[in-house]
Amino acid sequence: MSEHEHPPAVVLDGVTRRYGTDASAVMALRGVDCTIDAGELVALRGRSGSGKTTLLNIIGAIDRPSDGRVEVLGTDLGTLDEHDAGEWRRRNLGFVFQSHGLVASMTAFENVELALRISGTKRKERTGRAMEHLDLVGLTDWANHRPDELSGGQRQRVAIARATATEARLVIADEPTGELDVETGADVLALLRSIVDSTGTTLIVATHDPAVDDYADRILALRDGALT
Ligand SMILES: Nc1ncnc2c1ncn2[C@@H]1O[C@H](COP(=O)(O)OP(=O)(O)OP(=O)(O)O)[C@@H](O)[C@H]1O
Ligand SMILES: [Mg+2]
């Protein structure tokens, strides 16, 4: 297929993010340029405070750069107002966070089904799709359990099912293994790898966990807000 049919998933051009305006302003990102291809699993590595979350929030249309251009899945995010950005995000992206962020009163199934509802998936497709993705993360038998009845690794797998069930073309994961033991963290990374391979989604994982290097196609290293 031609390049034209597969535009890059992410293009960043001179992205800066400054917090505050006075002398004490923090430059969280200082001119980040990079391209992430569709279908890549990219690890965003860097020490605490290096700007990983800031960059993910900008790619995910949660935050805006102070300067620079951000194109994600062919859309120039600078052209979207806040409302359109929210709508665009719900339809196109999946998120996995460090502390899973599941709805405590809902079962694993209901959490995934809710994400499908929010993303605008048709009602008759939702049940099948939710179960399919819970199966993909090995939780078929746990579908009717609430988060407080699941282990940390199981909860993180529900969060992954929730992020991928919508068939998001880009999944953003911020420290998805941060609260897991080493072995469970490796399981979660292997699962993310297999989902990228089987679905062709693009995945960006921010972490300071060096274990991610074994699973990523490419490692982007951030240091003091700049790629090294
Ligand atoms: N809302 C904010 N207001 C002011 N400064 C902020 C804000 N968010 C982040 N920063 C600053 O921006 C820099 C980058 O923070 P960021 O959260 O992106 O780092 P990180 O690489 O994700 O770190 P960690 O590994 O600890 O999650 C830090 O110096 C931080 O203090
Ligand atoms: Mg962070």
Side-chain angles (χ1 to χ4, degrees):
M1 277 179 261
S2 73
E3 278 179 58
H4 189 71
E5 286 169 275
H6 283 287
V10 179
V11 180
L12 303 176
D13 185 7
V15 170
T16 67
R17 180 64 167 100
R18 188 183 312 105
Y19 287 111
T21 48
D22 56 7
S24 63
V26 172
M27 283 293 278
L29 298 173
R30 3 179 137 241
V32 173
D33 301 312
C34 83
T35 299
I36 295 173
D37 288 325
E40 264 196 303
L41 195 174
V42 169
L44 185 58
R45 295 254 275 119
R47 299 178 59 168
S48 182
S50 59
K52 301 182 298 297
T53 296
T54 303
L55 190 58
L56 290 187
N57 287 345
I58 286 174
I59 294 170
I62 291 169
D63 187 21
R64 289 174 188 275
S66 309
D67 226 317
R69 189 171 174 282
V70 183
E71 188 181 306
V72 181
L73 303 171
T75 297
D76 179 346
L77 298 189
T79 65
L80 303 179
D81 65 22
E82 208 167 306
H83 174 268
D84 290 344
E87 188 68 20
W88 176 88
R89 184 168 62 237
R90 282 187 287 279
R91 294 195 177 275
N92 292 290
L93 305 188
F95 291 90
V96 182
F97 299 107
Q98 177 166 6
S99 56
H100 62 78
L102 301 174
V103 180
S105 59
M106 289 185 160
T107 65
F109 171 81
E110 288 165 344
N111 268 281
V112 178
E113 203 265 346
L114 174 65
L116 288 166
R117 218 180 311 165
I118 290 170
S119 76
T121 306
K122 290 196 197 78
R123 177 198 291 266
K124 61 176 196 281
E125 286 178 29
R126 294 201 291 254
T127 298
R129 190 95 73 76
M131 285 312 297
E132 186 188 316
H133 281 259
L134 284 167
D135 190 44
L136 211 59
V137 299
L139 291 179
T140 305
D141 294 341
W142 297 89
N144 294 321
H145 291 253
R146 288 194 315 269
D148 64 356
E149 301 165 335
L150 299 172
S151 72
Q154 287 171 331
R155 279 178 223 160
Q156 203 52 296
R157 284 190 274 152
V158 177
I160 290 167
R162 179 181 58 178
T164 58
T166 59
E167 297 180 346
R169 288 157 65 204
L170 174 64
V171 176
I172 290 174
D174 196 356
E175 296 286 357
T177 64
E179 292 180 3
L180 305 177
D181 62 72
V182 174
E183 211 170 310
T184 311
D187 289 345
V188 164
L189 291 171
L191 174 64
L192 289 170
R193 176 78 254 178
S194 75
I195 288 172
V196 168
D197 291 340
S198 62
T199 65
T201 190
T202 308
L203 175 69
I204 310 174
V205 191
T207 182
H208 24 78
D209 181 356
V212 78
D213 296 4
D214 296 339
Y215 299 91
D217 294 311
R218 191 151 59 100
I219 296 151
L220 296 176
L222 262 181
R223 195 156 130 196
D224 291 336
L227 290 177
T228 59

